[in-house]
Amino acid sequence: MLAALFLWALSAQAQTLNQRIEQCGACHGADGNSVMEKIPSLAGQPEFFVLNQLILIREGVRPIEAMQDVVKGLKDEDIVAIAAHFNKLVARPAGDKPDPAMVERGSLLSTKLRCTSCHGPALTGDQQMPRLAKQRIDYMAAALKDYRDNKRKGADTAMTAVIYGLNDADIDAIAHYAASR
Amino acid sequence: MVKRIVTSAFFLTASFLFTGVALAQAPAAANPNGTSDLDKSDKAKSGQDVNLRGAPVPPIATPLDKIPVDKIKLPAGFKAEVWSHGHPGARTMVQGAKGTIFMGSRVIGRVYAITEKDGKREVKTMLTGLTQPNGLAFKDGSLYVFAINKVLRFDNIEDKLDNPGTPVDLSAAYNLPPEIHHNWKYVDFGPDGKMYVQVGANCNICELNPGIYAQIRRYNPDGTGMEIVARGIRNTVGFDWHPQTKELWFTDNGRDWAGNDGPQDELNRLPKGQEGANFGFPYCHANGIPDPDIKKPNACAGVILPAALTGPHSAGLGIKFYTGSMFPKAYQGVAFIARHGSWNREKRFGYDVVVARVNGGKATIEPFMTGLLDTGKNEFLGRPSYVFQMKDGSLLVSDENMGATYRISYSAKYRVSYSAK
C-alpha cells in the first residue's frame, strides 16, 4: 500500500494538469461533487479558498495524511489552475439528503451564529471562506466537530470560537441546513 | 449577580491555568478554542457593521509587475523600490552576522532566508509547516524561531541555509501559553542580552489571568529566569529600545468591537526602573478610556498612559528607531512604525509607515510612507508589517500581502529630481 502510494507520488511529478484534476476527482467527484463518505465537494468553491487550503496542506500547516502525497509535487501555478477549475464547476447535492426538521433547527442556529456574515448570504463562500451550500452532510459535520474539539491543526481560531460549546446535535443540524441551501 | 458569575468563572479559569503551569513542562491544557470563554465582544452593541472581518493574506507570491511600489508616496528626497519578492506572507525581519535577512510569517508557516549576491536577492524557503512563526531573533550565530508554543534555536544557521538541520528545542524551558489567539510572537534581544517575548491577551476583551497573558516577558536566552517586564498589554506586535535612553518602546493594538473610532492603538514607553508596570488592559485603553464592558473603579489608576496614540484599529506592528546616517538629520533618532491597517473599521485606516518623534516620555506621529490605501474605493493595495534598518542606513518595509519588501533610501539627488517634476 505504502509502496503503491510512493510510486504514485513519484509519477505525480510528470503529470499534466488534466491528469492532476482527474486525480482530485477520484475522491472529490469527477464533477467536483463528492460521492465518497466524509470527502468534501469542491464544486463551486471560491477560488481563493481552494488555493489557500491546498497551499496550507502542501506546506504542512494543515496536515492531512490522505492528501500529503497528492499535494507534495504541486507547484503554486498548478494549485492556481486547480482552484480555478473547481470554482467553475456547479455544486449539486451529494451524499445523504437533508432532513427537514434538522434543516429547520440548523437554520435557527445559523442565524444566531451569523454563518452568513463570513460565508455569504447564500452560504456560497467568499475569499478564504468556504462554500457550505450543498456540502456533504457527513463531511461538514465532521469538519465542524474537528474545529470545535481543536483537532484541526492550522485552522484560524475565529471558526472555532463561533461554534465553541455546540453539542453534536447542533452541529449535525447546521450541516443539514447548509447541505439544503 | 452578573458580576458575581463572571468573577467566579474567572477564578475557575485562573486556578485551572495555574494548575497547568504548576504541572509544568507539558503545556497547560488550553481552552479548546484558543480564546477565552470570558470574552465580552458584542458585535451588535458596537454599532459597527457586524460583517467586518479580516482580509486574507495571499499564500502565493505576487508577480513583480503587480507590486504597487509606484503607488508609494514618501517625503521629498526618499525613494522606494522593491528589494525582494516571492516570499508570501512577509512579516518580521532580522539579519544574521553574515548578512542573511531572515523573515518570519504567520498563516503560511514559513521562515525565509534572503541572501544578497552581486546586487541581487535570492529567496530560500528555509523552514515550513510551523504554526505562525512570527518571532525571530539572531544572536551569536544562532537563529531563534518562535511559533505558537514552540521555541527553536538553529545554531550556525548561516552556514546551512539549505539544510538547517535539527534545532535545539527550547519550548519546554520557555513554557509559553499554547493558545493561538494573539499569541503569534514578537521577540527581540534587549540591551541587557535578555530575550524579550510578547504574550498577548487570549481574547478581544475579557478578564484574564494577568500572571500569564497580556504581557511582555524577558528570559535568559535558554528560556530560564522568566520575568514579567510589562503588564496589561492587549497585544504588542513590535518593540524596540530607544538608542539613547535604552528604554523599551512598544506598539499595542487596541480592542475591537467598541466602535469604528477607537479605542485608538498605542505607542508605549516603559520608563527606566518601572519593570512590571501596568499598561491598562483590559480595564483602561488609549489615553485613559475605561472599558465599556469590563469595569472596575478607577480603571486607569496606576496605568502608564501611551506615549502617543497611533490611530483607530490602525494595527501598528513593527517599530524601529532609526540609528543610520543615510536619512536626513530630521529623521535621525525617530521611530518608524509600520501600520498594517484596520479590519474592524468601516472606513479603512492605516496601511502605511509613520514616524514617531520622541520628546521625553511622549511622541508625536506623522505620516512617512503612504499611498497603499485608496480611501475613495475603501481598498488597500498593500499591508506594511515590519521595518528593518539596513547597514547602509536604508529602511526595509515588509508587505505581508504582496510577499515583498520595499527598500526606502534617501538622496539629496532624488530631492532635486522630485522637485523638478
Side-chain angles (χ1 to χ4, degrees), chain A residues 7 9 13 28 30 43 51 53 59 69 77 88 101 108 113 117 127-128 130 132 157 163 170 177 181:
Chain A
L7 284 175
Q13 286 166 3
H28 293 279
L51 163 74
Q53 293 304 318
E59 299 285 321
D69 286 310
E77 48 268 37
K88 285 194 203 90
L108 293 172
L113 300 173
S117 85
Q127 291 185 304
Q128 79 271 42
L132 308 179
T157 54
I163 57 163
D170 290 337
Y177 171 67
R181 297 283 288 162

Side-chain angles (χ1 to χ4, degrees), chain A residues 79-91:
Chain A
I79 291 178
V80 168
I82 291 169
H85 168 79
F86 282 104
N87 174 254
K88 285 194 203 90
L89 300 179
V90 179

Side-chain angles (χ1 to χ4, degrees), chain B residues 90-380:
Chain B
R91 286 180 63 103
T92 38
M93 294 167 281
V94 297
Q95 191 163 32
K98 296 179 183 175
T100 312
I101 295 280
F102 296 99
M103 174 178 278
S105 68
R106 280 191 56 198
V107 178
I108 200 164
R110 291 177 177 174
V111 175
Y112 300 100
I114 307 172
T115 50
E116 195 169 14
K117 207 182 164 194
D118 306 326
K120 281 192 175 161
R121 262 69 61 190
E122 191 194 342
V123 178
K124 287 183 212 295
T125 301
M126 193 177 78
L127 306 173
T128 57
L130 293 164
T131 307
Q132 308 205 26
N134 192 67
L136 298 182
F138 188 93
K139 196 183 177 102
D140 300 332
S142 300
L143 180 71
Y144 293 74
V145 178
F146 285 65
I148 305 284
N149 194 27
K150 191 165 264 210
V151 184
L152 304 173
R153 192 186 77 214
F154 294 86
D155 296 331
N156 303 315
I157 185 69
E158 286 185 285
D159 298 333
K160 44 185 186 183
L161 298 177
D162 289 313
N163 184 16
T166 310
V168 178
D169 191 333
L170 301 170
S171 312
Y174 276 87
N175 194 24
L176 292 161
E179 289 90 345
I180 293 175
H181 193 82
H182 285 161
N183 217 354
W184 50 97
K185 290 277 158 279
Y186 185 82
V187 302
D188 197 2
F189 282 104
D192 53 4
K194 301 257 186 180
M195 180 76 86
Y196 284 68
V197 180
Q198 165 273 14
V199 179
N202 56 331
C203 59
N204 169 37
I205 182 71
C206 65
E207 290 282 5
L208 48 74
N209 181 338
I212 296 182
Y213 302 104
Q215 314 163 342
I216 298 173
R217 303 176 178 183
R218 72 179 166 208
Y219 294 81
N220 297 320
D222 66 1
T224 59
M226 191 275 269
E227 290 174 277
I228 300 170
V229 178
R231 304 164 202 274
I233 303 161
R234 182 175 173 276
N235 192 23
T236 179
V237 211
F239 41 80
D240 196 13
W241 288 264
H242 188 282
Q244 274 84 45
T245 67
K246 309 291 183 205
E247 285 174 333
L248 177 67
W249 288 67
F250 58 94
T251 58
D252 187 14
N253 289 190
R255 67 161 292 187
D256 297 315
W257 302 117
N260 285 317
D261 290 325
Q264 289 198 38
D265 290 354
E266 302 169 7
L267 169 62
N268 286 299
R269 158 190 170 250
L270 176 65
K272 259 236 154 81
Q274 298 275 305
E275 283 77 9
N278 176 20
F279 288 84
F281 187 83
Y283 311 105
C284 175
H285 307 291
N287 268 349
I289 302 170
D291 191 80
D293 299 313
I294 310 265
K295 296 186 172 125
K296 77 167 184 183
N298 303 315
C300 295
V303 167
I304 299 186
L305 295 178
L309 297 177
T310 53
H313 305 286
S314 65
L317 304 190
I319 173 170
K320 279 286 167 204
F321 282 100
Y322 187 76
T323 57
S325 55
M326 178 196 273
F327 291 4
K329 274 237 146 35
Y331 291 91
Q332 290 170 12
V334 306
F336 288 99
I337 301 173
R339 299 196 298 188
H340 197 233
S342 62
W343 70 265
N344 191 237
R345 191 172 202 271
E346 285 160 34
K347 281 208 90 71
R348 292 185 183 278
F349 186 85
Y351 306 91
D352 57 9
V353 177
V354 294
V355 158
R357 292 190 185 283
V358 172
N359 186 0
K362 295 287 172 187
T364 52
I365 304 292
E366 63 183 60
F368 180 68
M369 185 186 113
T370 58
L372 295 178
L373 173 62
D374 183 333
T375 47
K377 288 188 187 154
N378 202 27
E379 284 173 2
F380 63 85

Side-chain angles (χ1 to χ4, degrees), chain A residues 48 51-52 55-56 58-61 76 80 114 116-118 126-129 147-150 153 155 157 160-161 164, chain B residues 31-33 35 37 43-44 50-51 53-61 107-110 128-131 180-181:
Chain A
F48 189 97
L51 163 74
N52 201 32
I55 287 189
L56 297 183
R58 182 191 66 188
E59 299 285 321
V61 173
D76 286 0
V80 168
R114 293 204 183 89
T116 55
S117 85
C118 290
D126 181 31
Q127 291 185 304
Q128 79 271 42
M129 310 296 175
Y147 270 111
R148 180 194 61 188
D149 302 338
N150 214 21
K153 194 170 174 264
T157 54
T160 311
Y164 180 60
Chain B
N31 289 332
N33 57 358
T35 57
D37 298 348
K43 296 183 186 185
V50 296
N51 293 328
R53 58 177 158 90
V57 178
I60 54 171
V107 178
I108 200 164
R110 291 177 177 174
T128 57
L130 293 164
T131 307
I180 293 175
H181 193 82

